[in-house]
Amino acid sequence: AAAQDIGERKKAQAQIDKALEINPGNAVARLRYGVIAVYQGRYQEAHDFFKSQPPDRTPSIHALQSATALFKLGRVEEADSLIEKYLREFPRDEGGLGTSIRAMLAAKAGKTNEAERAIVRADEIGREFGHFHHTAYNIAAAYAMLNKPDKAVEYLQLTADEGFPCYPLFEKDDSFTSIREYPAFVALLAKMKVQWNRYNATL
């Protein structure tokens, strides 16, 4: 949902409520509640939500978002296990999102070479798929954790340009702690904040 991608929690939830009103059995729409929680930084809530939902109807969304929530909660081994299982079951990794999560996990663990290989692969898969912004965001996070601020900002800008200008998430995601004072990061967030305020003022 567009509201989800710019960080508008209430509007995104209203969109999901409407979709479920029309079709109560829409499992993809229902899982969006958990996806919103991930993108709002409410990781424990997201994890609890996904645990309560059967994964069989939407296994890829369930696995990828659960792994992201676990990673953000610091439960790295669980996230890694889930991503490895996902990539065995879905080796095409359409969109590259699973591989980009693997890049974040490797970067967090200080496995630079493994992280960079995963970044290259995620970029390759994601650009072929065409729906790249969430993969680009994870690549940016991996680069930030690898202390490569120029590349992190490059991929954050691409994330915003590709349809995920989620200022609230960019502003508080602790994956970017190491580059918070980096001038290009500060400038990007300042620009995004202006756009965010303008967007809210027009609604």
Side-chain angles (χ1 to χ4, degrees):
Q4 165 193 301
D5 283 347
I6 62 169
E8 282 289 319
R9 177 182 175 184
K10 290 181 180 178
K11 294 178 181 65
Q13 287 180 326
Q15 291 172 356
I16 298 166
D17 291 344
K18 184 66 176 177
L20 290 173
E21 182 182 321
I22 295 168
N23 179 10
N26 188 333
V28 174
R30 189 172 304 282
L31 279 192
R32 293 293 173 191
Y33 286 123
V35 175
I36 291 168
V38 170
Y39 296 147
Q40 287 286 330
R42 295 177 286 118
Y43 303 120
Q44 186 61 54
E45 182 181 332
H47 174 61
D48 293 343
F49 175 84
F50 287 117
K51 278 188 69 176
S52 74
Q53 300 297 310
D56 52 312
R57 296 186 65 185
T58 52
S60 60
I61 295 173
H62 197 284
L64 292 167
Q65 298 301 331
S66 294
T68 300
L70 285 166
F71 170 70
K72 297 297 186 181
L73 288 168
R75 296 165 64 172
V76 175
E77 289 185 7
E78 292 172 78
D80 189 60
S81 176
L82 191 53
I83 283 299
E84 290 303 317
K85 181 176 183 291
Y86 165 79
L87 290 172
R88 285 195 303 271
E89 294 177 356
F90 300 93
R92 286 184 61 200
D93 188 26
E94 195 170 81
L97 192 56
T99 306
S100 72
I101 295 171
R102 173 183 271 174
M104 290 196 298
L105 289 162
K108 183 75 170 178
K111 299 175 181 177
T112 301
N113 291 338
E114 182 180 329
E116 291 183 339
R117 285 195 300 270
I119 285 168
V120 169
R121 181 61 179 149
D123 187 288
E124 179 183 72
I125 301 169
R127 290 182 193 261
E128 286 179 358
F129 180 66
H131 189 67
F132 187 56
H133 50 261
H134 295 301
T135 297
Y137 184 82
N138 289 347
I139 290 173
Y143 271 129
M145 288 184 281
L146 292 172
N147 199 29
K148 295 190 173 185
D150 286 332
K151 298 298 290 184
V153 171
E154 175 188 335
Y155 276 88
L156 277 177
Q157 182 65 67
L158 183 60
T159 299
D161 291 345
E162 290 279 326
F164 188 36
C166 189
Y167 169 75
L169 180 62
F170 286 33
E171 194 273 332
K172 67 185 175 185
D173 189 338
D174 62 8
S175 294
F176 300 102
T177 298
S178 67
I179 67 168
R180 286 282 165 204
E181 305 304 318
Y182 187 67
F185 182 85
V186 173
L188 175 59
L189 257 66
K191 180 174 68 174
M192 291 187 66
K193 185 175 183 179
V194 170
Q195 294 170 341
W196 169 256
N197 289 335
R198 185 182 301 127
Y199 174 83
N200 282 304
T202 61
L203 294 181

